[in-house]
Amino acid sequence: MQEIISIARSGGATGVASALFRIRPICRPDKLALPGTRTRTRTRPQLWRNNDDAVGSHDRAGDGPARRQADSRGNVLAQLAASMLTASLLASDPIAASAADYGSFTPEQKFIAESWRIVDNAYIDRTFNHQDWFKVRQDALKKKYKSFAEAQTEVESMLGSLGDRYTRYLPPAKYDSIVNAATGNVFGVGVELSQDKDRGRVVAGDVEPTGPAARGGLLPGDEFVEVDGVRFDDGKATPDDVAVVVRGPEGSKVGVVIERAGKTVDFILTREPIKITSVRSYLGDKPGVGKVGVVRIKSFSGTTAETVKSELEGLKKKGATRLVLDLRGNPGGLLPGGVDTASLFLEANKPVVFVADKKGVVDAQSTLVDGIDLETPMVLLVDKNTASAAEVMTACLKENKRATVAGEQTFGKGIVQTIRQLEGGENGGIAVTLARYETPLHNDINKSGIPVDVQADVTCGKDDALTCLPKDAFRKIS
């Protein structure tokens, strides 16, 4: 579960400004600010929004209508790179000399030096896991490397010493897979990948009903053991790791081995263009409650808020008097998507999230205008795999007393990443954690999650959320 805030490549950046919330700098050294925090007052741009689906942990080929159609792959990436608040807040410091400036280094040493530099510039923990980060660089550059593969292994070890599973080297195939997911150039089998918090295994968070995986018999909750001969059952694999192998050329075959109820099951699936519907809605009738509109949000992108708004309007016309937002299995996606969607249900000037960069400078994001629905009683249904941007939205609506949270404690991921392409474009990229956030009441939910207001079953069908919810989940919030 990786919260992607941007993909940075060389070149300019453009984007579409969001009008749903505003950003203002704030410093709280007693709470979120890191040691050595200083107040920095400056005008921030409004949060940029990207026009494509969430990046990272999904096997799909894009989703939903974009506000503006990107003219090219490069333009889409440029919009992604500028898509966030964080594009201004978190990338405010100039990056040091590029790898091309290391004239006396071998190609392998340049690769290592640049990888180190990217992390040195952006990483949130300035103690670098309580180690001499510059000495790590010196030691790595003293070694002689017989191949580029040895240099890649060194970088993986160097980043592994940080103790942060989300800060890591992305080999070319993995980097391209993530970029392709952002631009829609993906062929897969129609399965959303998430991380099981208890076992650490990559699981099928959901299966697209009309995709190859569903037709072949793969089910939500299946644990990935092996894909095309690559093992993923060691508890260390991420959804991105699995997605890289699952994706491939259109029409090609992929072998998948999953574990279900203690038994392994093999599949041979054919990759094809996948259109994931990230937002779905339906109307249900809950005895003792009335007509309930349910909106299921599978992940967040720059268009999620618009889609949710449209679905809400349709449900209201059908007579819905209560709302349920089903966030089970939602691994996050793009942070602005979660913030924008939460803003649909809040009055102006309500706090949404606090984000701190590496220097401890804290930006407070708050709603700019009244949302479209401020009164309809609402329940958020969450589970242990509800993470990142989905947790931002959950905490925001809970702590602003706009919604009741039902289900089970959420995953607990309060950090965000960016992806930087390594120079030259052929050596992959670096994913680096560069910020952390707190909830409107300044709770740090990283590694702890969000407690629910009402304990509820979370095993009901993805299209039958009302079965999970007891009547008291719809009680008036006090």
Side-chain angles (χ1 to χ4, degrees), residues 9-29:
R9 304 208 310 180
S10 58
T14 59
V16 180
S18 168
L20 286 181
F21 57 93
R22 59 188 171 195
I23 305 163
R24 56 186 174 84
I26 187 170
C27 182
R28 291 181 55 89

Side-chain angles (χ1 to χ4, degrees), residues 180-370:
N180 287 338
T183 58
N185 301 317
V186 172
F187 303 104
V189 298
V191 58
E192 290 192 15
L193 305 172
S194 61
Q195 199 101 34
D196 183 274
K197 186 174 182 179
D198 296 332
R199 289 166 54 83
R201 300 275 287 273
V202 177
V203 303
D206 195 21
V207 180
E208 191 65 16
T210 60
R215 296 197 302 268
L218 199 143
L219 301 175
D222 286 346
E223 297 183 354
F224 282 79
V225 175
E226 182 179 316
V227 180
D228 270 359
V230 181
R231 302 287 296 191
F232 295 109
D233 56 348
D234 61 356
K236 299 179 181 179
T238 68
D240 286 342
D241 295 329
V242 177
V244 167
V245 187
V246 169
R247 298 168 184 152
E250 182 178 8
S252 61
K253 303 289 185 181
V254 58
V256 177
V257 180
I258 61 92
E259 182 176 325
R260 182 189 301 162
K263 298 180 179 180
T264 57
V265 184
D266 293 9
F267 300 92
I268 301 295
L269 306 172
T270 302
R271 299 180 177 101
E272 60 185 51
I274 301 298
K275 182 177 177 61
I276 298 292
T277 306
S278 293
V279 178
R280 297 176 184 167
S281 70
Y282 55 93
L283 187 69
D285 199 342
K286 181 76 173 176
V289 176
K291 289 186 176 181
V292 181
V294 182
V295 180
R296 184 176 173 222
I297 306 173
K298 298 165 70 174
S299 64
F300 288 99
S301 73
T303 63
T304 300
E306 289 182 30
T307 307
V308 170
K309 177 182 177 182
S310 176
E311 297 296 327
L312 288 174
E313 291 170 346
L315 290 169
K316 288 294 188 66
K317 290 179 181 178
K318 295 177 182 178
T321 59
R322 303 284 192 278
L323 293 175
V324 171
L325 300 187
D326 187 354
L327 302 175
R328 289 176 296 164
N330 186 322
L334 288 179
L335 181 59
V339 176
D340 278 0
T341 306
S343 299
L344 295 174
F345 304 98
L346 296 173
E347 298 174 342
N349 301 313
K350 290 292 186 180
V352 177
V353 66
F354 297 91
V355 183
D357 68 3
K358 65 178 183 180
K359 294 182 178 179
V361 176
V362 181
D363 267 17
Q365 299 178 35
S366 60
T367 54
L368 182 61
V369 297
D370 285 349

Side-chain angles (χ1 to χ4, degrees), residues 377-389:
M378 182 166 57
V379 177
L380 306 183
L381 180 59
V382 300
D383 65 10
K384 64 182 180 181
N385 292 318
T386 301
S388 298

Side-chain angles (χ1 to χ4, degrees), residues 380-431:
L380 306 183
L381 180 59
V382 300
D383 65 10
K384 64 182 180 181
N385 292 318
T386 301
S388 298
E391 289 178 293
V392 169
M393 176 176 170
T394 299
C396 172
L397 295 179
K398 176 182 179 178
E399 293 184 0
N400 280 295
K401 297 187 182 301
R402 179 61 187 88
T404 299
V405 180
E408 62 185 10
Q409 189 131 335
T410 61
F411 185 87
K413 184 174 182 293
I415 52 178
V416 289
Q417 288 75 38
T418 189
I419 292 176
R420 303 281 175 84
Q421 184 184 42
L422 289 162
E423 191 163 304
E426 70 277 0
N427 295 329
I430 301 293

